Amino acid sequence: MSGCYLEGYWVDGETVYRIPINTFPALVGRETGLAVTLHSNNVSRQHAELLQQDGQLLIRDLGSTNGTYVNHEPVTACRPLNPGDVIRFADTEFRFRQESGGAHQQASPDSTVTAYFSPDEHVDRIPIGAQHLEKLLEDKLVHPLFQPIVSAIDERIMGLELLGRGKHPELSELPVPLFFLAESLGRGVELSETLRDVGVHRWANSPLSNIPLFVNTQPGELKDWQRLMASLQGIRNKHPDVPLVLEIHEQAVTDHETLNRLNTALQDMSIDLAYDDFGAGQARLLELMNIPPYAVKFDISLIRGLDAAPHQRQDMIGLLVELVKKGKTLALAEGVSHPGELAVCRQLGFDLIQGFVYGEPVALEQLNTTPG
């Protein structure tokens, strides 16, 4: 069985490393000279072993003090392993992976120490569900939701934001854990594309398809903008008449040249551009406005509690709204949750409002197109 390896994280919790498993049986433990040596005092000297039988990889606990777990369940007898399974030896956690091209081990910053991902040191563990995610992506098991974007003046629907939920019975339907799982497997971009493809198709076949649809991007998509453009071109070829607005995070594009190329490509496809989450990090409004978008979405952190905020803060946000509008760009307040925030946003000159004050994300059949 070739191309088997254990995949974990360095102690920074971000950098992935791989330990190839080239021979079987493969002993795992704290003792030096084993196939996998783990430098944790909670791991037994000979903790577990990986076996191969009739083309199937198996795992067996060797009476360890702190246990061996697969997908968070204790290993009490010899049990099979499948690609994507999460294995924990005491406090040391890995994902079992298999590739036909073989595996390689990345060098450690300190060759005397084997770093590992410890659930006691990090809030998020390696998520389980790799095979379920594969099924979700293959069968497009996602459910599109839509949230109204409303005119601040007359409460007309001026657009809707496409959001999504998962539909696989063994996975969370919420986007945050879904993307955490997908990104841990290097498939975050694919999940974003799936949500977008399904949602736009659903919208294009509805009686509301003349209303602009705001669609999201995952941060990794901007690292390969040519793939992103190919994805959007595929949508445009299928649905040439649906008005689309692509949302990108204001910090996702780090250089002016890439942003300019992105904007030009979108214009060629008749897709508008919106800067999302403005104000969530380092504000780059003047730089971004060199390429004025269709809309700038002010992050919820700027809007929440705005009616109770000091006048200085309100005045500052009002000045930012003015700057946006001078570039002939729509200023959109995101996350407006109650009438007090809505009243202040109107006073400050926002063009568009989005938030629970006009409705939460719902399925197309539940959408109220007259929220005012």
Side-chain angles (χ1 to χ4, degrees):
M1 180 177 291
S2 62
C4 296
Y5 58 90
L6 300 179
E7 181 177 84
Y9 290 90
W10 297 125
V11 290
D12 63 7
E14 297 179 358
T15 307
V16 174
Y17 76 109
R18 294 173 173 181
I19 301 176
I21 309 297
N22 297 318
T23 59
F24 298 94
L27 288 174
V28 180
R30 195 174 74 250
E31 193 174 286
T32 59
L34 304 183
V36 180
T37 298
L38 304 175
H39 294 267
S40 168
N41 290 332
N42 294 316
V43 173
S44 298
R45 293 179 63 85
Q46 292 194 7
H47 193 100
E49 66 176 344
L50 304 175
L51 311 165
Q52 184 180 356
Q53 182 177 327
D54 299 327
Q56 172 70 58
L57 193 67
L58 308 171
I59 187 168
R60 182 175 65 171
D61 183 79
L62 297 178
S64 66
T65 301
N66 293 308
T68 302
Y69 300 81
V70 174
N71 297 334
H72 307 167
E73 297 179 355
V75 175
T76 57
C78 198
R79 63 159 288 171
L81 279 178
N82 296 302
D85 282 346
V86 174
I87 309 172
R88 176 154 60 93
F89 307 102
D91 59 358
T92 307
E93 201 162 59
F94 298 95
R95 187 189 302 282
F96 170 60
R97 302 290 294 271
Q98 185 176 8
E99 293 179 355
S100 57
H104 63 280
Q105 183 171 6
Q106 296 174 317
S108 167
D110 181 352
S111 60
T112 66
V113 177
T114 299
Y116 57 87
F117 181 84
S118 167
D120 293 331
E121 296 176 4
H122 299 276
V123 174
D124 293 315
R125 295 155 41 127
I126 298 175
I128 64 173
Q131 292 174 302
H132 301 321
L133 182 75
E134 179 75 30
K135 181 69 172 175
L136 181 147
L137 294 172
E138 181 181 347
D139 294 348
K140 298 185 182 297
L141 300 178
V142 296
H143 180 56
L145 301 179
F146 304 88
Q147 186 174 37
I149 297 171
V150 176
S151 167
I153 298 174
D154 58 15
E155 298 188 324
R156 287 182 298 122
I157 295 284
M158 302 297 292
L160 290 106
E161 181 175 359
L162 169 64
L163 302 163
R165 299 291 185 268
K167 285 175 57 179
H168 194 290
E170 300 298 327
L171 297 175
S172 171
E173 66 171 15
L174 299 177
V176 171
L178 278 179
F179 271 101
F180 181 61
L181 171 60
E183 288 167 5
S184 77
L185 295 164
R187 306 191 73 174
V189 169
E190 192 175 349
L191 177 58
S192 181
E193 291 172 342
T194 299
L195 290 168
R196 198 164 50 234
D197 290 349
V198 172
V200 174
H201 178 75
R202 181 76 175 88
W203 185 250
N205 290 281
S206 78
L208 304 173
S209 60
N210 61 319
I211 300 175
L213 185 64
F214 286 62
V215 296
N216 288 286
T217 53
Q218 189 255 6
E221 293 186 273
L222 274 300
K223 297 177 182 177
D224 186 356
W225 76 275
Q226 291 182 330
R227 173 172 175 166
L228 174 60
M229 291 303 101
S231 168
L232 294 171
Q233 187 64 65
I235 289 175
R236 181 50 84 211
N237 291 342
K238 294 176 184 175
H239 311 293
D241 300 323
V242 174
L244 296 173
V245 182
L246 182 74
E247 296 187 20
I248 64 169
H249 191 280
E250 54 127 342
Q251 297 184 52
V253 178
T254 57
D255 64 274
H256 182 83
E257 180 182 350
T258 299
L259 184 57
N260 191 50
R261 285 192 298 167
L262 175 64
N263 188 51
T264 299
L266 291 175
Q267 289 178 347
D268 290 341
M269 289 184 278
S270 299
I271 298 176
D272 287 316
L273 178 65
Y275 298 143
D276 192 18
D277 298 330
F278 173 72
Q282 179 182 356
R284 302 165 58 217
L285 183 59
L286 293 179
E287 180 183 346
L288 292 171
M289 293 308 289
N290 287 326
I291 302 175
Y294 173 75
V296 169
K297 300 185 74 172
F298 283 63
D299 187 68
I300 189 174
S301 63
L302 297 179
I303 305 302
R304 185 185 293 116
L306 191 55
D307 55 326
H311 289 298
Q312 295 93 327
R313 181 183 172 204
Q314 294 180 4
D315 291 343
M316 178 198 69
I317 294 175
L319 289 173
L320 292 173
V321 170
E322 282 186 42
L323 285 173
V324 166
K325 296 175 71 168
K326 282 184 178 179
K328 300 188 184 305
T329 293
L330 298 174
L332 191 159
E334 189 175 29
V336 181
S337 61
H338 59 78
E341 292 173 347
L342 175 61
V344 174
C345 287
R346 284 174 169 162
Q347 292 171 8
L348 297 179
F350 278 97
D351 301 294
L352 302 173
I353 307 292
Q354 180 181 359
F356 286 177
V357 70
Y358 284 128
E360 61 186 74
V362 295
L364 191 61
E365 309 79 53
Q366 302 170 288
L367 192 60
N368 178 10
T369 57
T370 56

